[in-house]
Amino acid sequence: MATPAPHGVPEGRGAAAVPPDLAELLRAQLEEVADEVEEEVRGQVPEYARPADGTYRENLRAGVVQALTLFVDHIADPRGRGDAIAATYYELGRGEALEGRSLDALQSALRVGGLHAWRLMGRTAEQLGLDSAVVTALGELAFRTVHEVAEAAAAGYSEARAHNTDELERRRRRLLDLLLGEGPVAPAAVQDMAHGARWSVPRQVAVVTLAATPDQREEEWPLAAAGALVDMESRPPRMLIPDPDGSGRFGGRAFSLALRGRPAAIGPTVPLAEAAQSLRWATRALGLMGRGILPRQGVVRCADHLSTLLLHSDEPMLDQLRGRALAPLDTVSEGQRERLAETLLAWLLSGSNVPDVAARLHVHPQTVRYRLRQLEKVFGDALHDPGARLDLILALTTAQKSEEFLNSRP
């Protein structure tokens, strides 16, 4: 933010009390004052405490001289705007933004330099025997000068920051498209694009797909600032998170809070070159969430539901398995079908232990035995064949998660 103007500082009225001839006296001391102001800034502002040589020293020196020149010019011509000098500080502000630095250092340098310059030049005015009104007017001019150059620097910084942010987002979007594309990705190309996007290349990644909602935009997601590559315009919206298993930024409750309750699926953690695979699994998981096969709300991690994802990776084949394995149930009534299927799955999962089945279903053991006799008639020896038992477990498990699967059978 620009340094605020001091309350009550005039735009030239108070400066008129300063004798214009004083401008030439102060101009003669400008280089000497610039030396002291430069040293003060370097001593008080750590970001400017660099070796006293090279381009950086030249830019610092030029900035100090320009500000002092603007101050003296205001004395010579109180209504002068110093547009050229303002342009210099506009470019200084732009430079700070383009280098990725904060504006705070430049604003601190302006305050420190302006105060020190005022002390030095005010001392000269006192030595010349100028009255207090003139000294006060000089102070007002000093504040006005600092305010003008600070505003110019802030304007340049804001303009460059906005442009730089837009360009950075475009570069990160292109990088994300490259990483999630189907074709092979050359490591050198990834490194080059990541450098331009200011993104540290991780060893492993995971892709997150998000339930689409119309009221949340990309800039609302703090995960981008934490290093995620985000594309909220894709369908489904997606983001690539670096090193998901090695950092608390993307794990557990912190990640869920960052999503603000939005349902999401996290693909498996994979090497960077296999990011497209993580995207495929996350997209599939999100689809299963929408169908109620996986939990509809919260964050679903593919790593916790691999068997379900595997079974639903080929839906037509799964339909064939269920149709073939559960065909014997077509011979019983609709009311019996659901009860027998529930009992059969509990029996298979409990190691054929009748008391365990009864406890799981909250029925009497005798009821379980009665249903098992019915199942023996329906399925015959298949109940004791290991391969058939596995098919039944897979078919019944997925049928139970599929809405109205059993009731929809003829």
Side-chain angles (χ1 to χ4, degrees):
M1 295 180 63
T3 302
H7 182 70
V9 173
E11 279 293 322
R13 177 178 52 82
V18 181
D21 292 345
L22 181 59
E24 295 309 314
L25 294 175
L26 295 178
R27 202 183 302 277
Q29 301 179 17
L30 195 144
E31 289 296 328
E32 180 181 345
V33 172
D35 290 338
E36 293 195 39
V37 170
E38 180 185 347
E39 288 304 313
E40 183 72 9
V41 170
R42 288 167 53 81
Q44 295 294 327
V45 185
E47 290 83 352
Y48 288 85
R50 299 189 179 188
D53 55 11
T55 304
Y56 199 83
R57 165 69 186 273
E58 293 174 3
N59 290 340
L60 174 59
R61 175 71 177 190
V64 170
V65 171
Q66 292 272 28
L68 292 174
T69 300
L70 178 60
F71 174 63
V72 173
D73 286 348
H74 275 323
I75 297 175
D77 181 6
R79 299 186 181 280
R81 301 301 302 170
D83 292 338
I85 294 173
T88 297
Y89 273 85
Y90 183 91
E91 290 302 318
L92 283 175
R94 288 189 75 253
E96 294 295 288
L98 294 175
E99 290 296 326
R101 292 192 291 265
S102 166
L103 184 62
D104 293 343
L106 181 57
Q107 299 284 35
S108 295
L110 290 175
R111 289 191 293 270
V112 170
L115 181 59
H116 193 65
W118 157 238
R119 290 194 190 113
L120 296 174
M121 291 189 166
R123 190 180 309 150
T124 298
E126 290 177 353
Q127 291 172 351
L128 293 173
L130 300 177
D131 62 34
S132 60
V134 173
V135 175
T136 299
L138 281 173
E140 292 173 345
L141 275 177
F143 278 115
R144 175 183 168 188
T145 301
V146 170
H147 176 59
E148 287 183 13
V149 297
E151 277 194 326
Y157 187 89
S158 297
E159 186 275 334
R161 184 75 179 270
H163 175 77
N164 206 30
T165 299
D166 291 344
E167 178 60 25
L168 193 62
E169 289 178 357
R170 284 192 291 270
R171 291 181 181 183
R172 291 192 170 188
R173 186 76 58 82
R174 289 196 296 269
L175 174 60
L176 182 61
D177 290 342
L178 174 69
L179 293 173
L180 298 183
E182 291 297 330
V185 180
V190 173
Q191 289 287 350
D192 287 345
M193 290 190 70
H195 178 75
R198 296 182 185 175
W199 189 70
S200 298
V201 178
R203 291 180 55 200
Q204 294 185 311
V205 297
V207 177
V208 180
T209 53
L210 302 147
T213 58
D215 58 341
Q216 286 177 302
R217 303 186 301 270
E218 178 176 349
E219 60 267 23
E220 295 175 343
W221 295 97
L223 294 166
L229 299 178
V230 180
D231 181 2
M232 300 303 292
E233 302 301 322
S234 65
R235 290 293 176 267
R238 62 196 185 181
M239 64 177 70
L240 182 145
I241 55 180
D243 296 321
D245 301 329
S247 171
R249 295 174 298 171
F250 303 111
R253 182 171 174 78
F255 184 76
S256 299
L257 289 174
L259 294 180
R260 300 186 180 95
R262 190 168 182 168
I266 303 180
T269 299
V270 297
L272 181 63
E274 300 174 13
Q277 294 185 21
S278 185
L279 171 63
R280 283 196 294 273
W281 284 104
T283 302
R284 183 170 298 153
L286 191 68
L288 295 179
M289 291 172 67
R291 294 163 55 188
I293 295 172
L294 291 176
R296 293 182 183 272
Q297 300 300 321
V299 178
V300 169
R301 296 180 180 273
C302 288
D304 298 334
H305 302 275
L306 292 178
S307 60
T308 300
L309 289 166
L310 178 61
L311 287 173
H312 288 271
S313 62
D314 190 332
E315 297 277 3
M317 184 66 71
L318 181 59
D319 288 340
Q320 288 287 330
L321 171 65
R322 286 191 299 221
R324 181 175 179 275
L326 302 182
L329 289 176
D330 294 343
T331 62
V332 302
S333 67
E334 183 175 325
Q336 285 182 302
R337 187 183 305 141
E338 187 173 355
R339 291 193 297 272
L340 290 178
E342 180 184 48
T343 302
L344 177 56
L345 180 59
W347 182 72
L348 291 168
L349 294 177
S350 64
S352 307
N353 188 298
V354 172
D356 285 351
V357 176
R360 181 184 296 223
L361 300 180
H362 305 290
V363 297
H364 195 278
Q366 193 60 33
T367 301
V368 175
R369 292 188 182 94
Y370 170 75
R371 293 179 184 176
L372 287 174
R373 285 194 293 272
Q374 290 181 295
L375 288 167
E376 287 279 1
K377 294 177 182 179
V378 171
F379 285 95
D381 294 338
L383 293 184
H384 306 287
D385 178 78
R389 287 166 67 100
L390 176 59
D391 287 350
L392 284 169
I393 290 173
L394 297 177
L396 288 166
T397 300
T398 56
Q400 189 180 64
K401 292 181 178 180
S402 298
E403 298 177 357
E404 306 299 329
F405 176 82
L406 289 171
N407 291 334
S408 68
R409 292 178 61 78

